[in-house]
Structure formats: C-alpha cells, structure tokens
Amino acid sequence: MATLLHLDSAVFPQGSASREVTAAFVQAWSEQHPDGRVIYRDLAADPLPHLDAAAAAAGVEHPLRGELAAELAAADAVLIGAPMYNFTIPSTLKAWLDHVIIVGHNAGPDSPLAGTPITVVASRGGSYAAGTPRAGAEFVQNYLATLLTAMFAAEVDFIVPELTLAHSNPQMAELIPLAETSRTKALADAVEKAKSLASRLAA
C-alpha cells in the first residue's frame, strides 16, 4: 500500500489554482490506487511555527520535527502545492521545509529519501517561463528543485499553472485564452502524473 504525502500552502481555500491541481492529482491517485494512504497537511489552515533555536538544536528529537520527518519518511510520493507569493514560496511552506530537513537524519549525501518522487504544483499569477521578461525572477522552481535534490536527492517534477491572474486583472484580459490553456494542461498533467506514480508504486 503506497502512501502519498500531500501538502497545500495556498492562503485561500477556494479559488486557488494550486489547490485545484493538487486536488485533481489526489483524486486520480485515489481512483488508481484505492488502497493507498494519503497524509494531508494544509499549511495555510494549520501553519507551523517558525524554526527556533530549541527546535533546531533538538533535531529529530523535537516532537514536531520528529512528527514531520516521520510523515515524510512514510511517504512513497510527495505532492506539494506551492503558489508563488512575492516571487517565492509561501512562508508556511518554508517553515515546513525548515522543520522537516534534518541533516544527519534525512538530509545529506546519503539521504534515505533518495529517489522519492516529489511533484510540485508551482502556480503563479503571471509567466516566468524561459524567454519571458520575468524569467530571471523565478524563485519557486529554481529554489525547490535545488533544495529538494541537494538535501534529499529526490526525483522532483513540476506542474506549472500560470497566468492565473488573467481573469481578475483587466490588464491581463488578453491573456485569458493562454491562462485557460495552461490550466487545462496543468490539470491533465496532474491526472497523468498521479496515475503513473500510483501504478509504479503499486507494482
């Protein structure tokens, strides 16, 4: 029985592009792998405290850090909703990362999490793709890809619904068709990725 660890971090419970895509992923995962287990954390509804000196020093012996590390260790696959806020990830997701990354326990050159598939839904209001004017300000994919591979040697994949503000920002109205195309592709990619992982892990 494979276990999926699912994290959402978008502030708004409704109307969130990242939450819509992670929900599609989980639904497809559950349909493909009904006996699988899903561990869920809503980091916006139930935020973690910032890492402090006592928790940093205690490492895995700290109750919260130990609990988070155990959830991650139990996961055969990880799904992270990571919307772009002010050019980077939400602070709630950063707090989770600071707690769960414990060098000498689960992070480092010999990480026991090596090869764990991590799917990140990196939504953003505009476009930061290569060749766009804001490509140099993309600090979600670049950051998470570097961090998760360096610390865990994880297998990191991204699903990127972009231009999510096109419907609400009049100055972006002409981009609505591109936004819809991006949304449709992200949802399809989520379903395909979830089914693929569920089949692979159930084998």
Side-chain angles (χ1 to χ4, degrees):
M1 181 177 72
T3 296
L4 173 70
L5 174 60
H6 171 199
L7 308 172
D8 275 326
S9 61
V11 169
F12 296 106
Q14 304 296 329
S16 161
S18 66
R19 286 178 184 269
E20 181 185 31
V21 176
T22 60
F25 185 108
V26 172
Q27 181 177 342
W29 165 281
S30 299
E31 290 173 353
Q32 185 77 15
H33 191 33
D35 295 328
R37 177 186 176 208
V38 178
I39 301 171
Y40 180 59
R41 279 191 178 269
D42 188 332
L43 299 174
D46 189 17
L48 302 170
H50 289 298
L51 184 69
D52 59 19
V60 73
E61 299 303 320
H62 186 273
L64 176 57
R65 299 191 76 191
E67 177 184 349
L68 297 173
E71 287 179 353
L72 182 57
D76 299 289
V78 181
L79 173 66
I80 300 174
M84 178 185 280
Y85 292 161
N86 298 319
F87 299 108
T88 189
I89 63 172
S91 61
T92 51
L93 178 54
K94 179 62 164 61
W96 180 82
L97 290 164
D98 287 341
H99 279 289
V100 83
I101 295 171
I102 306 174
V103 176
H105 173 70
N106 61 11
D110 301 313
S111 173
L113 300 171
T116 299
I118 299 179
T119 304
V120 179
V121 179
S123 61
R124 61 276 316 273
S127 179
Y128 297 78
T132 63
R134 285 192 166 183
E138 204 300 302
F139 302 120
V140 173
Q141 286 178 264
N142 289 336
Y143 168 65
L144 289 176
T146 300
L147 180 73
L148 296 171
T149 55
M151 291 297 184
F152 298 142
E155 175 191 306
V156 186
D157 190 28
F158 289 91
I159 298 172
V160 185
E162 61 179 11
L163 302 170
T164 63
L165 290 178
H167 288 280
S168 59
N169 185 342
Q171 294 181 341
M172 297 176 65
E174 65 181 17
L175 299 175
I176 288 176
L178 290 177
E180 282 301 310
T181 298
S182 179
R183 174 178 176 269
T184 299
K185 182 178 187 305
L187 290 169
D189 287 349
V191 170
E192 181 181 356
K193 183 67 175 179
K195 289 181 176 180
S196 174
L197 279 176
S199 296
R200 171 177 141 192
L201 294 171

